[in-house]
Amino acid sequence: MTATAPPAQSPPAGEALGRPLRRADGREKTTGTARYSGDHAPAGLTHAALLGAHIAAGRIRALDTTGALAAEGVRAVFTHENLPRIAAQPPLLPSLAGGPAPGQTFFPLQDPEIHYAGQPVAMVVADTWERALHATRLIRVDYEEAPSATVLDQIRHTAFEPEKIFGGLLPGRATRGDLAAGLERAEVTVDLTFTYAANHQNPLETCTTTASWEGGRLFLYDSAQGPAATQHTLAVLLGLPHADIRVDSHLVGGSFGCKAMTWAHPALAALAARETGSPVRLALTREQMFTSCGHREEQEQRVTLGALRDGRLVALRHHKLSPTSHFDDWAEPSLEAASQLYACENYEGRYLLARAHTMTPTFMRCPGEATGLFALESAMDELAQRTGLDPLELRRRNHAERDPVTGKPWSSKGLQECYARGAALIGWERRAAPPAREGDWLIGLGMATAAYPIVPPVNPQRAKARVFADGSALVQAGVAEFGTGATTAMAQVAADALGLPVDACRFEGGSTDLPNVSAAVGSMGASYTGAAVHAAATALRAQLIAQAIADPESPLHGARAADVTLAGGRMVLRDRPETGESYAQLLRRHMQPDAEATGSWGPADLTASGSSHAMLTFGAQFAEVAVDADLGVIRVRRLVGAFAPGRVLNARMAANQLMGGMLWGLGQALLERTFMDPALGRWNNTSLGDYLVPVNADVPEVTVELVEVHDEAVNPLGVKGVGEIGQAGTAAALANAVHHATGRRLTRLPMSLEDLL
Amino acid sequence: MTTHKPAARGQAATAPPERGPGPVPVPLIVNDVPYTLDIEPRVSLLSALRDGCGLTGAKRGCDQGTCGACTVWVEERRVLSCLTLAIACEGRRVTTVEGLAQGGELHPMQEEFIAHDAFQCGYCTPGQLMSAVALVREGHAGAPGEEADPAEISEWMSGNLCRCAAYPHLTAAIAAAAKRM
Amino acid sequence: MRPVSYARATAPAEAVAAVAADPGGAYLAGGTTAVDLLRQNVLRHDRLVDIGDLPLAGIEETPAGGLRIGALTRMSDAAAHPLVRERFPLIAEALELGASPQLRAMATMGGNLLQRVRCAYYRDAVSPCNKREPGTGCSALGGINRGHAILGTSEHCIATHPSDLAVALTALDARVHTLRGAGERSFHIDDFLLPPGDTPHIENPLEHGELITAIEVPDTPTARTSRYLKIRDRASYEFALTAVAATLRLENGRISGVRLALGGVATTPWRARHAERLLLGAAAEPGVFDEAARAELAEARTTPMNAFKAELARRAVVRVLRTLAATPEGQA
């Protein structure tokens, strides 16, 4: 522990969970010693750089690499003419499922066809980064360009309803009740169409892989949300035994979805390293981050609400149209939580896709719900206005006591309390008065409901726990640390399960050599890994207690296991806590260096209640904005989010993540858009100077309020997740606040000043 | 309107000595430690620090001067090392995040970053720290004994993107550290 | 980035001779534009002459009461200089709103005037662009042009001039002093930053190797009541969608002095002389401000994506003039 850690760092043994402990990796991250994938430099490291196609469709007629090959320091140039073929292309499946998880089913540098701008057409390996990059500019590519279509306006006439989307996991259409009858019965209707610019995740660390081969085994440092996903995907792509690939992903410089799936670059780095016989680092450039790891697709959503005069919903229609690639049927799942949010019997949700010359879209923070809830919650605000109801009251009247889709009870909810706490914190009662004006600024308040699904695991999640004879514990699982605080929180989970002080427990993750867990995606990292760590630590504790009971030399000899508990870091009799011993005493007596147990949690462990309950995380978003009456400038003054994410493992880091999610909502609402130039078929603003993300000065006062709900169905710890819910509904709360301030209903994201002039 | 004056100097100028374009020895002083790197003049200070000196604290987030993750000091100035050529730093003192802590003792700014949980993924943190300490030195976190203005800190930290958006914690950490510096 | 050679100059004449002698030569000062665009393969120099050590930094008063700002003065130093803040608050504001703190600590005043456009088609090194590759066409005309210019455009280029500083200097009739082999000369800023016309690749009248040595801002008493208003999507660290630099002086409710320049809307910093003429001597009333702004923007040529800029600029001009008119110091 560092000298800076206050005594508060060390809660009593067994009481670490939930405490706002400081990050275990704080010292490394503040001293520049934290190592990310691009910070590892194996001996003899060389650098790879990619050249992307600047056309969106067509084929390569000819390539001339002589200039690049002649350039100083260049070791090799790979194109479709000389890069070895991949062994097989795995199907697209979200990495949450735990298997091979390619972001798209197209692998570049295999043939001369061009399917999207930015598609790699050549890869240079050189002794320095500068030389590799420069050499890509010396490659001459002669293209035969074909007409391309990249935006909805060019392809909406080709739209089709897919049978399945999202890697085959979700149906293209969902219905309940009788929508037509519901609309017929409605006394008030709202029918709004919302449009969304494409977005890019843009973590500050660009995707980076460092690859080396040793004795036929492949070693990778890869920036990924799940090192196992990289391992499984590369095993199929390269035709290697899984056992011959190790992927390390200790620290990741942000992901936000673009490192959730495995894209082409890790395999390209591996191939380059194999072909050149030297370790290779392939770091994408910032520009390439717009064409290499997916994006949130441009989209259009139409929401039709039918309600009675008292505001109760009788019909909900929610359609989404979006472009996908020519190889995959992908749409982010925008209609899921939105279909479960309110008690409404009659529903129809439809996804429509149209094929475009882009890569396959992918996850981006709060995938689906960030856009779906913007549409639904803006429409609800409009319905509130048309029915003359307070927007919060309208939500309360439509509160779903059970899941309207399945009729099942919720595993836990807490939404009404979120409404109440959020409203109190923002001062919602002010909204009843006419909007305020301060000088040139019009002030408005808005709110929206937040929800995010909980996905049960598809396969077993595993962890390993060890206690050493010195009393310290090491707990391991192959989860990546990309800022969620998993390293810290998992130590807390293990400490409490083992009954040890948290300072005695270290968590290690980030490698496929460690027990397998799915990628930490969909807000499920804490849940999946936490459950596995809990299982491993609990198993180890039970094992050591059993050993003590069986040991004639132990003070606990002969006790019943049920009578032994952990107190003060020792195994003791529940009713006579002075009788007992520590793990260390037991191990040392037997000259045992350590004890170890594995734990697993998976589909089979989901209790009956898990499948008999509907599971969503809920929250409520409130926003105060100021809009310049003449200039249209929108500035956010305050964000309040009240969330009920179940068990919180570390209050400090959970609040940080929830706050980050809310500020992502601010960016989504007001700033973020990737422009596609339809004439050239290329993204236009491929830099962080032109793709605008919030800067420090954009950020208002943010209040995160946690509402406790107890949930026994989701997993043994009752964790529901905090990664996405912070963003759900934020953009709608902001748009509704702008409406309150100006009377203007903005239906285009991002909202910008020209919409208000 | 354009005005013309006769040449100020009559004598022919001598050309300054030219180096490169191939690798040349470049002496650098980083965190008070001397290095001599054999690098091409086109190599950025960022690349030189990371690949030449093995100091990987400064991060490459964009290589275009738009994110601030590569912020270091050249003399007292906070600069973007991606847009600075290493060779142009000959004879100037370079300080990176690795040079903030002294003898294992964290700088107050580092301590307050940890105490305020002013980061998540940590990738922007080295740049944020170098900007933050410079900001206090520049006088934008209040004069000694004065309360810092959070809005002023935010504005003067806006050259450092944090995609995790830990901004409010960053601002609070800087205000707290300023009192201890 | 192509391989480059490097030399550090110790005297201005030496630097000028070195760059002038080599068509592939260029100056390196703050590097914020040069290193970026060399790496992007937009600029293709192979010889850099570092002028960072030349004695061209510093700010001094001129005998006529103006300021002479050395070309190598960093933006941050100029913005913090007491004389600049006192006499030309709009310059300090434009500088501090002009880039991130790190960029301001690197970039020089002379380099700021020579910064290149932010047009994505210019910067991608691939798209047709008359500024980068004369004769290839302008991709922005029918492309993504939300940020592009509505004034001073031509059928060959609609890229917006990106400098905030230059807008303030334009309002103040600044002069740019240079050194070339044949000696020193100076330009009025209006003659220094050139509209694209038929030659968008020519952005200024500098000869190859000609070096900016100083910027001179003439004495402008009205500038003590001045404002630089910058409007953008983000609250900080972004180029202007519209900016207005203005000084205003009133006598008995009538405008006795006014300077007005627009940024973010034109291919050069746009001195609103038409509006100034209408305003001078007129009553300081919102209707008058509005009429003057409309007149200035009458010749705007917009695209569907940037049409909002004409309206935004009109409103911004009114806002700035209204604000300055309400400032007590504006009253004579």
Side-chain angles (χ1 to χ4, degrees):
Chain A
M1 288 279 99
T2 69
T4 61
Q9 272 301 96
S10 307
E15 295 178 25
L17 263 190
R19 297 219 178 211
L21 303 189
R22 295 179 175 189
R23 274 172 211 271
D25 51 18
R27 191 177 177 99
E28 291 97 305
K29 283 179 173 174
T30 54
T31 52
T33 52
R35 292 259 183 268
Y36 298 79
S37 290
D39 297 338
H40 295 276
L45 179 69
T46 60
H47 299 263
L50 299 176
L51 174 67
H54 71 260
I55 65 165
R59 62 197 312 276
I60 298 168
R61 205 183 282 131
L63 276 154
D64 180 1
T65 59
T66 47
L69 281 166
E72 198 71 39
V74 171
R75 304 280 178 83
V77 179
F78 298 102
T79 69
H80 69 275
E81 291 170 351
N82 64 344
L83 189 81
R85 300 287 88 102
I86 56 169
Q89 173 64 54
L92 194 165
L93 190 65
S95 52
L96 191 76
Q104 60 184 12
T105 56
F106 164 76
F107 194 88
L109 294 174
Q110 301 290 298
D111 61 49
E113 304 300 320
I114 303 297
H115 304 281
Y116 57 93
Q119 174 187 324
V121 297
M123 172 169 57
V124 174
V125 180
D127 57 353
T128 72
W129 156 260
E130 286 75 15
R131 286 171 163 179
L133 274 182
H134 173 61
T136 64
R137 310 273 193 190
L138 301 175
I139 297 168
R140 299 284 158 255
V141 188
D142 178 16
Y143 293 105
E144 187 179 306
E145 195 168 353
S148 67
T150 48
V151 298
L152 273 182
D153 281 343
Q154 295 170 303
I155 51 175
R156 61 175 69 244
H157 61 281
T158 68
F160 63 97
E161 186 178 300
E163 194 183 324
K164 300 270 190 187
I165 60 156
F166 202 61
L169 295 183
L170 292 172
R173 178 196 289 246
T175 59
R176 64 178 187 254
D178 183 340
L179 180 76
L183 287 171
E184 185 72 22
R185 208 181 135 212
E187 294 166 331
V188 185
T189 56
V190 169
D191 189 351
L192 289 171
T193 297
F194 301 87
T195 58
Y196 304 74
N199 286 168
H200 279 80
Q201 301 88 345
N202 277 310
L204 275 200
E205 179 201 35
T206 66
C207 294
T208 302
T209 306
T210 304
S212 57
W213 294 79
E214 288 168 36
R217 283 193 71 196
L218 173 61
F219 294 85
L220 295 177
Y221 290 104
D222 187 40
S223 49
Q225 274 180 258
T230 306
Q231 178 194 33
H232 298 317
T233 309
L234 262 60
V236 179
L237 285 170
L238 303 179
L240 284 174
H242 291 239
D244 286 356
I245 303 176
R246 189 178 96 188
V247 182
D248 284 346
S249 198
H250 298 302
L251 286 173
V252 180
S255 171
F256 314 108
C258 78
K259 299 167 183 169
M261 307 288 275
T262 305
W263 303 93
H265 55 273
L268 290 174
L271 288 168
R274 191 175 72 189
E275 297 303 301
T276 60
S278 303
V280 168
R281 179 188 299 159
L282 174 53
L284 301 184
T285 65
R286 179 53 56 185
E287 185 180 5
Q288 288 165 350
M289 287 297 286
F290 289 80
T291 53
S292 307
C293 44
H295 53 273
R296 195 196 306 274
E297 66 271 20
E298 176 198 5
Q299 50 198 281
E300 215 172 84
Q301 292 186 28
R302 182 179 171 193
V303 170
T304 310
L305 298 179
L308 304 179
R309 267 189 224 297
D310 65 3
R312 279 181 299 143
L313 290 169
V314 291
L316 167 56
R317 182 171 60 199
H318 194 168
H319 290 181
K320 168 177 171 173
L321 167 65
S322 60
T324 187
S325 68
H326 278 269
F327 13 93
D328 298 305
D329 289 353
W330 179 278
E332 62 164 4
S334 302
L335 314 183
E336 307 309 311
S339 73
Q340 296 171 274
L341 210 49
Y342 297 115
C344 177
E345 287 173 6
N346 306 304
Y347 172 82
E348 178 190 270
R350 282 178 77 196
Y351 292 95
L352 292 167
L353 295 177
R355 299 211 181 280
H357 292 99
T358 66
M359 65 185 320
T360 303
T362 196
F363 300 98
M364 181 160 163
R365 193 173 198 172
C366 201
E369 313 310 346
T371 54
L373 291 180
F374 173 70
L376 177 65
E377 289 297 285
S378 293
M380 286 294 281
D381 200 65
E382 187 66 23
L383 180 62
Q385 198 192 1
R386 294 198 194 168
T387 53
L389 288 169
D390 177 275
L392 185 49
E393 173 58 22
L394 176 71
R395 266 87 173 177
R396 286 182 170 135
R397 287 190 187 183
N398 285 289
H399 187 262
E401 295 300 331
R402 300 170 81 84
D403 174 19
V405 175
T406 60
K408 292 178 185 175
W410 301 109
S411 62
S412 62
K413 192 158 188 182
L415 179 57
Q416 295 281 25
E417 200 177 352
C418 290
Y419 286 147
R421 302 261 279 270
L425 284 165
I426 195 94
W428 185 251
E429 71 283 353
R430 290 179 291 151
R431 198 182 175 282
R437 180 167 183 148
E438 295 175 16
D440 293 314
W441 295 101
L442 307 171
I443 312 301
L445 288 174
M447 62 83 56
T449 307
Y452 194 79
I454 289 165
V455 186
V458 178
N459 45 40
Q461 308 295 309
R462 287 192 294 272
K464 186 166 81 177
R466 284 168 91 183
V467 169
F468 296 90
D470 68 351
S472 67
L474 174 66
V475 188
Q476 297 169 309
V479 70
E481 171 63 85
F482 47 95
T484 59
T487 312
T488 315
M490 291 306 130
Q492 291 174 262
V493 171
D496 280 14
L498 286 166
L500 292 175
V502 69
D503 287 354
C505 297
R506 194 164 76 81
F507 177 78
E508 185 177 72
S511 173
T512 54
D513 274 3
L514 303 178
N516 186 58
V517 290
S518 295
V521 296
S523 287
M524 290 296 104
S527 162
Y528 287 14
T529 311
V533 164
H534 180 75
T538 307
L540 181 54
R541 165 187 169 140
Q543 176 185 315
L544 286 163
I545 288 175
Q547 186 180 343
I549 289 170
D551 180 359
E553 293 178 65
S554 171
L556 298 172
H557 179 65
R560 293 190 328 150
D563 294 337
V564 179
T565 187
L566 265 288
R570 300 163 72 238
M571 301 177 281
V572 297
L573 290 176
R574 198 178 296 278
D575 53 359
R576 274 187 293 134
E578 68 283 1
T579 303
E581 65 175 336
S582 67
Y583 298 141
Q585 285 169 316
L586 173 68
L587 292 172
R588 282 204 294 261
R589 190 165 59 245
H590 292 276
M591 291 194 288
Q592 243 180 285
D594 67 351
E596 173 178 311
T598 57
S600 137
W601 178 72
D605 300 303
L606 276 177
T607 58
S609 65
S611 51
S612 62
H613 286 78
M615 299 186 285
L616 275 182
T617 306
F618 292 94
Q621 305 274 9
F622 293 82
E624 179 176 335
V625 302
V627 182
D628 190 300
D630 299 325
L631 306 178
V633 171
I634 304 169
R635 295 288 179 249
V636 184
R637 292 200 160 182
R638 189 153 186 225
L639 291 175
V640 171
F643 308 101
R647 172 87 75 116
V648 168
L649 300 179
N650 179 309
R652 170 194 304 254
M653 293 178 306
N656 201 339
Q657 251 202 101
L658 289 164
M659 176 181 77
M662 292 164 72
L663 295 173
W664 264 67
L666 184 155
Q668 180 199 1
L670 300 176
L671 296 171
E672 297 194 30
R673 87 179 105 187
T674 322
F675 289 103
M676 170 60 78
D677 183 324
L680 298 170
R682 295 201 288 271
W683 300 115
N684 176 264
N685 51 327
T686 55
S687 80
L688 288 174
D690 301 302
Y691 181 92
L692 301 179
V693 304
V695 296
N696 200 318
D698 286 304
V699 168
E701 182 188 341
V702 184
T703 307
V704 174
E705 180 77 353
L706 292 173
V707 166
E708 278 182 43
V709 290
H710 188 68
D711 196 316
E712 292 187 346
V714 288
N715 50 53
L717 291 168
V719 171
K720 297 178 82 174
V722 294
E724 337 271 351
I725 186 74
Q727 189 180 352
T730 313
L734 287 165
N736 296 340
V738 169
H739 179 265
H740 181 231
T742 65
R744 307 277 289 273
R745 172 73 55 205
L746 300 188
T747 57
R748 182 172 78 154
L749 288 187
M751 302 179 277
S752 50
L753 53 82
E754 57 260 52
D755 300 329
L756 291 168
L757 290 179
Chain B
M1 185 188 71
T2 303
T3 57
H4 295 259
K5 281 189 205 167
R9 291 168 190 80
Q11 72 208 46
T14 53
E18 188 176 347
R19 297 154 72 198
V24 295
V26 174
L28 291 175
I29 297 170
V30 186
N31 305 330
D32 298 324
V33 177
Y35 297 82
T36 299
L37 308 178
D38 207 33
I39 51 174
E40 297 173 322
R42 65 176 160 180
V43 171
S44 67
L45 177 59
L46 175 63
S47 278
L49 291 170
R50 292 178 53 81
D51 299 337
C53 305
L55 297 168
T56 54
K59 294 288 185 273
R60 180 178 283 128
C62 68
D63 232 17
Q64 298 174 320
T66 56
C67 79
C70 67
T71 303
V72 302
W73 304 335
V74 174
E75 302 295 350
E76 300 293 300
R77 295 174 185 277
R78 44 169 156 158
V79 307
L80 301 170
S81 59
C82 75
L83 294 187
T84 303
L85 295 185
I87 197 171
C89 297
E90 272 182 353
R92 314 197 205 283
R93 272 184 313 120
V94 176
T95 309
T96 71
V97 70
E98 289 93 340
L100 268 192
Q102 294 296 322
E105 188 93 350
L106 294 184
H107 187 281
M109 191 64 77
Q110 293 169 312
E111 292 182 344
E112 297 297 342
F113 267 49
I114 295 170
H116 288 83
D117 206 33
F119 47 87
Q120 290 177 31
C121 81
Y123 199 77
C124 72
T125 309
Q128 301 276 4
L129 281 162
M130 298 311 281
S131 260
V133 177
L135 172 154
V136 176
R137 205 164 52 206
E138 292 159 9
H140 297 296
E146 251 177 44
E147 276 302 307
D149 172 7
E152 185 176 359
I153 292 175
S154 286
E155 170 60 28
W156 287 81
M157 284 302 291
S158 282
N160 290 82
L161 303 184
C162 172
R163 189 55 162 152
C164 301
Y167 293 122
H169 295 185
L170 280 160
T171 303
I174 295 166
K179 293 183 183 160
R180 301 176 47 198
M181 284 169 62
Chain C
M1 193 188 297
R2 290 151 60 98
V4 294
S5 71
Y6 172 92
R8 197 181 290 185
T10 52
E14 174 196 85
V16 168
V19 172
D22 184 348
Y27 295 115
L28 178 68
T32 54
T33 288
V35 175
D36 184 21
L37 292 182
L38 283 165
R39 190 174 292 134
Q40 293 288 311
N41 216 31
V42 172
L43 297 180
R44 315 200 53 165
H45 308 290
D46 54 17
R47 178 179 191 172
L48 295 178
V49 175
D50 187 343
I51 53 175
D53 282 355
L54 298 187
L56 295 175
I59 295 174
E60 57 193 40
E61 291 187 72
T62 61
L67 292 182
R68 185 183 168 96
I69 303 171
L72 291 176
T73 309
R74 312 263 176 186
M75 286 173 69
S76 51
D77 292 338
H81 200 282
L83 285 173
V84 173
R85 297 188 86 80
E86 179 199 332
R87 298 189 188 174
F88 303 102
L90 79 173
I91 292 181
E93 287 174 23
L95 285 167
E96 291 193 340
L97 294 167
S100 74
Q102 294 98 310
L103 288 166
R104 301 199 296 267
M106 300 167 71
T108 64
M109 295 292 278
N112 184 295
L113 298 183
L114 299 180
Q115 67 181 292
R116 300 306 176 102
V117 299
R118 300 298 305 184
C119 175
Y121 304 102
Y122 170 77
R123 295 175 58 85
D124 70 13
V126 174
S127 299
C129 171
N130 290 322
K131 194 179 271 298
R132 181 169 31 76
E133 302 270 352
T136 54
C138 174
S139 301
L141 273 174
I144 304 300
N145 50 34
R146 176 175 185 256
H148 285 68
I150 58 172
L151 291 168
T153 59
S154 78
E155 59 187 310
H156 304 293
C157 183
I158 60 170
T160 308
H161 194 274
S163 170
D164 292 296
L165 168 67
V167 179
L169 294 178
T170 295
L172 296 168
D173 288 318
R175 296 191 70 83
V176 180
H177 295 272
T178 68
L179 175 68
R180 55 182 177 158
E184 297 176 10
R185 56 177 174 165
S186 78
F187 303 87
H188 188 279
I189 192 156
D190 288 351
D191 303 321
F192 188 77
L193 299 172
L194 305 176
D198 295 335
T199 54
H201 58 293
I202 301 173
E203 298 180 333
N204 56 60
L206 293 176
E207 292 174 5
H208 179 66
E210 189 168 358
L211 179 68
I212 300 178
T213 53
I215 296 164
E216 188 180 333
V217 189
D219 182 33
T220 316
T222 60
R224 291 178 192 229
T225 309
S226 65
R227 180 62 62 93
Y228 188 75
L229 173 69
K230 181 171 181 177
I231 301 166
R232 48 190 167 179
D233 297 307
R234 280 205 294 223
S236 183
Y237 198 14
E238 188 190 350
F239 291 88
L241 288 169
T242 290
V244 179
T247 74
L248 186 71
R249 192 162 185 86
L250 305 181
E251 281 175 41
N252 303 321
R254 296 210 161 257
I255 298 167
S256 60
V258 60
R259 302 288 187 89
L260 201 57
L262 305 180
V265 292
T267 55
T268 59
W270 191 262
R271 181 71 178 267
R273 292 190 189 279
H274 195 47
E276 286 180 9
R277 276 195 297 273
L278 290 172
L279 290 166
L280 202 60
E285 292 163 4
V288 172
F289 301 155
D290 189 61
E291 200 180 321
R294 279 178 199 280
E296 189 66 47
L297 290 154
E299 61 180 277
R301 281 196 295 181
T302 65
T303 70
M305 282 186 93
N306 71 13
F308 76 94
K309 282 189 168 185
E311 180 64 17
L312 183 63
R314 180 184 72 75
R315 297 183 186 200
V317 167
V318 173
R319 168 67 58 84
V320 169
L321 293 175
R322 207 186 73 200
T323 308
L324 286 173
T327 312
E329 298 79 33
Q331 317 285 336

